[in-house]
Amino acid sequence: MKRVGIITSGGDAPGTNACIRTIARRCFLDGVTPVGIFDAWDGLLAGEVRDITRADVSGIVQTAGTLLRSSRSRLFLNPGDPQIAVAALRKHAIEGLVVIGGNGSQTAAHLLAQAGFPVIGVPKTIDNDLEGTEFTIGFLTAAEMVTHALDNLRATAYSHNRVMVVEVMGRSVGWIAVEAAIAGGADLALIPEFAFSLDEICAKLKTRHEVHKRNYSIAVIAEGALDAQGLLDPQSTGADKLGRRKLGGVGENLAREIETRLGYDARCTTLGYLQRSAAPCAVDRILATRVSDRAYDLLQEGQSGLLAGLQGTKVVPVRLADIVGKTKKVTADYYRLAQVFG
Ligand code: F6P
């Protein structure tokens, strides 16, 4: 294979540039041309495609974002779309493709592979919700960023006798919330996977403040977490171009409920896109490098329809057919660990 395409799609995640760099560097070593598809699937259709140069991938292992830019696309929602994408790839003489992305992107990769185009996936999303890999690229950096935020917010929470609510990303899973809650010593971790009641939360806070005589608390809530009665639901959120509801606001509502129900001073800090834009931590850079290196090998070996996933200490090929459409959720046992310290 002499022309290898690289595409990044979905939300950006720290470590993505380390992936692009690895694939490009492997190409250069083999006398293969790495071809960059800019602005994801819509960019492919618009012809935003050009060869990647050595200069493009120089000095980017440590940077956040994606050199190739990214977006969410409606391509692949209709039955004829994979053929449209294949035709666009062939137009640029691309012989095989590495798709760097999360659930939506890997679904697209699977459809392309089914349409007969050689594709290998690289797992990238801060949400860590992709099956077939223990960690996705970007997740550990995001969790680290939230942990540092919790460390800092603790000072203000203590100084002002406050309940600090921290809203983090996590549309349908709470990996970031749980990981950071454990590492940052949060008192509450509220996530989409496990229902909670406001009565229960308030009772926990009351015990902490009135029985254990603590003057502050820290509660981490994932943006997609809702109490069992739906009282925290912000309601008035628009939709993105895929029709997915834009999230945000559940943390503010939680802080307000705590103030109303308990009379404690409560404030919300929403960390938002800061979780995606941090420089990748060393572990993410290394994970990105390892899985991308393997993805390149798999493609050159003539394989397709696979994801290069981390399982234990090894990078292994995982069939996309076995993982697409699934969501890797926080397990009860892992969630329990975040609650032990509450
Ligand atoms: O990358 C996944 C994610 O971080 C989700 O947790 C979040 O809901 C989403 O991105 C929001 O991204 P955007 O606003 O860019 O669509």
Side-chain angles (χ1 to χ4, degrees):
M1 199 173 280
K2 285 295 177 193
R3 283 176 67 78
V4 168
I6 311 171
I7 193 165
T8 58
S9 83
D12 65 340
T16 306
N17 280 336
C19 298
I20 299 167
R21 166 186 181 257
T22 303
I23 299 154
R25 293 293 284 265
R26 288 293 314 271
C27 286
F28 298 143
L29 279 175
D30 290 353
V32 170
T33 304
V35 184
I37 297 164
F38 289 74
D39 296 308
W41 304 108
D42 291 348
L44 171 66
L45 299 189
E48 303 280 330
V49 179
R50 71 160 169 84
D51 297 356
I52 293 176
T53 65
R54 282 180 182 273
D56 285 329
V57 293
S58 166
I60 64 167
V61 68
Q62 74 282 23
T63 58
T66 160
L67 167 77
L68 298 174
R69 301 192 294 270
S70 191
S71 68
R72 304 185 197 277
S73 168
R74 296 188 60 81
L75 187 68
F76 295 104
L77 294 184
N78 298 312
D81 288 353
Q83 280 71 27
I84 294 173
V86 170
L89 289 160
R90 294 216 169 109
K91 190 171 155 203
H92 296 280
I94 295 171
E95 296 164 79
L97 183 67
V98 179
V99 176
I100 305 168
N103 274 315
S105 314
Q106 300 311 334
T107 300
H110 174 54
L111 292 170
L112 269 180
Q114 279 188 321
F117 198 84
V119 185
I120 301 291
V122 165
K124 176 264 324 165
T125 163
I126 65 161
D127 290 347
N128 198 35
D129 58 351
L130 198 59
E131 284 285 357
T133 187
E134 233 152 83
F135 294 116
T136 53
I137 295 152
F139 163 63
L140 291 166
T141 303
E144 186 80 25
M145 184 274 160
V146 176
T147 302
H148 286 309
L150 298 185
D151 293 349
N152 293 347
L153 288 166
R154 181 179 296 274
T156 303
Y158 171 82
S159 302
H160 290 272
N161 303 300
R162 275 184 187 157
V163 177
M164 280 292 183
V165 175
V166 183
E167 184 182 307
V168 302
M169 280 192 171
R171 171 170 286 276
S172 49
V173 298
W175 285 107
I176 296 174
V178 168
E179 189 92 341
I182 295 170
D187 306 298
L188 288 170
L190 307 174
I191 62 173
E193 291 92 328
F194 296 94
F196 57 89
S197 77
L198 283 169
D199 290 346
E200 190 188 312
I201 302 260
C202 289
K204 277 190 183 166
L205 289 173
K206 204 165 175 196
T207 304
R208 180 175 153 84
H209 287 234
E210 283 160 39
V211 179
H212 300 309
K213 303 291 178 205
R214 307 312 302 269
N215 73 318
Y216 73 95
S217 292
I218 297 178
V220 185
I221 183 164
E223 60 185 352
L226 262 196
D227 62 297
Q229 289 173 282
L231 297 174
L232 297 179
D233 193 345
Q235 305 279 344
S236 60
T237 44
D240 66 13
K241 69 177 176 187
L242 291 185
R244 300 187 322 169
R245 191 173 165 205
K246 285 187 193 161
L247 298 180
V250 75
E252 288 289 352
N253 288 355
L254 176 61
R256 206 169 305 124
E257 282 291 331
I258 291 169
E259 285 201 331
T260 310
R261 291 178 180 226
L262 294 172
Y264 302 160
D265 207 10
R267 295 287 189 282
C268 172
T269 301
T270 301
L271 296 178
Y273 297 103
L274 289 169
Q275 295 159 89
R276 296 214 312 232
S277 54
C281 64
V283 181
D284 260 331
R285 297 180 201 188
I286 293 161
L287 175 64
T289 304
R290 290 184 66 205
V291 294
S292 304
D293 178 65
R294 188 66 190 276
Y296 177 82
D297 279 338
L298 290 168
L299 203 56
Q300 289 293 9
E301 284 162 14
Q303 309 235 39
S304 182
L306 300 171
L307 177 92
L310 180 74
Q311 291 186 4
T313 58
K314 301 214 172 358
V315 177
V316 298
V318 179
R319 276 163 36 93
L320 286 171
D322 294 338
I323 62 162
V324 296
K326 296 182 182 165
T327 306
K328 185 178 70 186
K329 293 182 183 279
V330 173
T331 58
D333 190 47
Y334 201 55
Y335 187 47
R336 178 197 58 81
L337 194 54
Q339 295 175 306
V340 166
F341 307 98

